[in-house]
């Protein structure tokens, strides 16, 4: 048996939405390092997802890429359909795609409110709904959704983001309850302050009560969060479901 076949996720297929950069990118790299075939996804960033897939393949991993607007029902369904047509299955779904704009509450338009919720909540719903039947059919599934500390601690100028991220808590718990008997787990990983370059849709990082004090004294890195995505996808994570897992350096204490 080859070393690749000995890896824990050999034979599994994973989709990481919004995986051109940061937490999504690191999650794709780590899942691939465990033997999964990873579909690297973005809405429009073709060059960036190609670079991530090339990085995976350069170290012997398996990856492909896909562009899709997951807020569009037909594109979300088509994304999953294409993966299953190519690989026969979809075992691991990481709902990472998000936008995190900063706007004072009184200035948030209805269009902006709906834009945030369409990506964070409806996008996760549409892709998960498309993926679930295939997980049920194989009696195995790992759904990991990326939350936001703003939903738990409160935040300035991100009421729309905090509301959308809070919805993911109930989303995760309900999935865990409904599909646990089919061998499917669902968990929410909640990052705190994560350093590095942010995308144009991420804002400045959010202003939190008390300044968002970190007990460990420094911001985290995308890989700190991605490590928990990896754990939840591995056999070691099989007894964890319906949980909200905070990875925030002590910024927020539940």
């Amino acid at each position: 048996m080859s070393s690749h076949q000995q890896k824990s996720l050999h034979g599994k297929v994973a989709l990481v939405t919004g995986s051109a950069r940061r937490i999504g990118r690191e999650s794709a790299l780590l899942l691939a390092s465990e033997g999964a075939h990873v579909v690297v996804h973005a809405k429009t960033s073709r060059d960036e997802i190609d670079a991530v897939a090339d990085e995976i393949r350069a170290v012997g991993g398996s990856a492909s890429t896909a562009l899709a607007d997951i807020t569009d029902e037909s594109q979300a369904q088509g994304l999953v359909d294409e993966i299953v047509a190519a690989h026969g299955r979809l075992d691991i779904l990481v709902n990472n795609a998000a936008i995190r704009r900063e706007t004072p509450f009184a200035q948030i338009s209805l269009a902006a409110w709906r834009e945030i919720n369409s990506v964070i909540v409806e996008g996760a719903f549409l892709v998960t709904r498309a993926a679930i039947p295939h997980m049920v059919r194989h009696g195995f599934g790992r759904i990991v959704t990326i939350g936001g500390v703003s939903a738990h601690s409160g935040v300035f100028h991100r009421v729309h983001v905090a509301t959308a991220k809070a919805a993911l808590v109930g989303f995760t718990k309900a999935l865990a309850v409904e599909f646990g008997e089919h061998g499917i787990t669902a968990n929410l990983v909640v990052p705190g302050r994560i350093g590095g370059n942010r995308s144009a849709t991420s804002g400045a990082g959010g202003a939190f009560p008390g300044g968002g004090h970190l007990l460990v004294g420094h911001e985290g890195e995308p890989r700190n969060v991605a490590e928990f995505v990896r754990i939840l996808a591995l056999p070691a994570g099989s007894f964890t479901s319906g949980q909200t897992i905070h990875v925030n350096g002590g910024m927020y204490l539940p």
Side-chain angles (χ1 to χ4, degrees):
M1 182 179 292
S2 70
S3 60
H4 183 76
Q5 290 174 321
Q6 292 173 351
K7 294 181 177 180
S8 295
L9 298 181
H10 174 71
K12 304 297 186 188
V13 177
L15 166 63
V16 183
T17 67
S19 44
R21 60 184 77 90
R22 292 177 62 78
I23 293 170
R25 172 184 173 273
E26 292 295 332
S27 296
L29 294 173
L30 289 178
L31 292 174
S33 75
E34 297 291 346
H37 174 87
V38 178
V39 180
V40 186
H41 161 268
K43 180 180 178 181
T44 59
S45 307
R46 168 59 71 186
D47 290 346
E48 288 181 284
I49 60 174
D50 282 346
V52 176
D54 286 344
E55 188 174 354
I56 289 170
R57 290 190 286 259
V59 293
S62 178
S64 55
T65 60
L67 292 177
D69 179 356
I70 62 168
T71 68
D72 179 276
E73 184 173 13
S74 62
Q75 290 192 47
Q77 184 67 54
L79 171 64
V80 172
D81 288 347
E82 289 179 12
I83 293 170
V84 174
H87 305 286
R89 59 193 302 130
L90 177 55
D91 306 284
I92 302 161
L93 171 60
V94 182
N95 289 310
N96 171 72
I99 50 178
R100 293 174 292 276
R101 304 194 191 284
E102 296 182 13
T103 310
F105 176 68
Q107 297 174 23
I108 298 173
S109 66
L110 180 58
W113 177 272
R114 287 175 172 168
E115 177 194 30
I116 294 291
N117 280 272
S118 70
V119 176
I120 294 175
V121 182
E122 293 179 8
F125 160 68
L126 289 171
V127 178
T128 304
R129 188 184 65 178
I132 279 283
H134 304 289
M135 295 178 176
V136 170
R137 178 162 53 91
H138 288 283
F140 178 93
R142 299 288 179 263
I143 301 167
V144 184
T145 302
I146 305 301
V149 71
S150 62
H152 306 271
S153 68
V155 67
F156 293 98
H157 301 165
R158 281 186 172 181
V159 169
H160 43 2
V161 176
T163 302
K165 290 292 190 178
L168 298 177
V169 177
F171 178 72
T172 296
K173 289 177 183 290
L175 288 174
V177 169
E178 186 166 347
F179 295 102
E181 65 178 334
H182 299 286
I184 298 170
T185 65
N187 291 285
L188 188 71
V189 176
V190 182
R193 284 193 175 277
I194 303 301
N197 295 325
R198 295 179 172 88
S199 70
T201 61
S202 291
F208 294 87
H213 177 68
L214 295 160
L215 296 181
V216 299
H218 60 84
E219 289 187 329
E221 299 178 355
R223 181 158 288 219
N224 294 140
V225 182
E227 287 287 2
F228 282 84
V229 175
R230 167 162 61 177
I231 290 168
L232 291 169
L234 289 171
S238 64
F239 197 57
T240 302
S241 194
Q243 302 304 307
T244 297
I245 300 167
H246 291 273
V247 186
N248 59 38
M251 174 183 171
Y252 168 77
L253 303 178

